Amino acid sequence: MTTSILVSGEPLDIAGLHDAVADDQAGAIVVFTGHVRNHSPGKVGVTHLDYEVFEERVEASINEIADEAAAKWPLLQARVLHRTGICDVGEPTVAVAVSAAHRADAFDAARYLIEELKARAPIWKKEHWPGGAEWSPGS
């Protein structure tokens, strides 16, 4: 399996994700993108998020998660993108794309990647809304 990880302050290239994991052996490609929404539990009018990462560890952490996914499912390709810095409402902040011979493997692996990334990668987000801001659990 080939894995590609990019953690960057630049806007994510969502359009290129499908092609980045395409493979002649793939019967399935799953792409997930997460975006900034204008609300959060108990907060209306979220204006933006601010992501911080532990730069010396974040890519290695995501690589570990991708390796685990590859050990559980027969993946062909995987790509994980995550933003840092300020992200406005509607902007994509995280993306996971995987290819596999079969759809069940692709769906299961994509879900595993995003859920484990949110739980374990050293990425923190601060939600901002009129009159306040707060660090929020998960990426």
Side-chain angles (χ1 to χ4, degrees), residues 54-74:
F54 180 23
E55 290 186 28
E56 292 80 17
R57 183 72 183 118
V58 69
E59 288 189 16
S61 177
I62 296 170
N63 261 319
E64 289 170 12
I65 295 165
D67 288 346
E68 292 167 10
K72 293 175 181 282
W73 297 279

Side-chain angles (χ1 to χ4, degrees), residues 13-134:
D13 176 16
I14 301 302
L17 270 176
H18 182 276
D19 291 344
V21 298
D23 189 292
D24 288 345
Q25 299 177 60
I29 295 175
V30 172
V31 177
F32 166 82
T33 61
H35 300 255
V36 180
R37 62 179 180 253
N38 67 357
H39 66 280
S40 188
K43 296 170 190 73
V44 177
V46 170
T47 58
H48 65 281
L49 302 179
D50 188 2
Y51 283 95
E52 290 189 13
V53 302
F54 180 23
E55 290 186 28
E56 292 80 17
R57 183 72 183 118
V58 69
E59 288 189 16
S61 177
I62 296 170
N63 261 319
E64 289 170 12
I65 295 165
D67 288 346
E68 292 167 10
K72 293 175 181 282
W73 297 279
L75 300 179
L76 300 167
Q77 307 272 343
R79 182 151 174 81
V80 178
L81 309 175
H82 206 296
R83 274 294 307 273
T84 62
I86 295 173
C87 301
D88 294 324
V89 170
E91 190 172 358
T93 60
V94 62
V96 170
V98 298
S99 59
H102 303 285
R103 69 179 171 272
D105 293 330
F107 274 113
D108 291 346
R111 178 179 287 279
Y112 181 85
L113 281 168
I114 190 63
E115 296 299 340
E116 291 299 312
L117 183 147
K118 289 179 65 69
R120 297 171 28 203
I123 301 170
W124 303 275
K125 72 178 178 184
K126 189 173 192 178
E127 295 179 320
H128 295 262
W129 62 91
E134 179 176 83

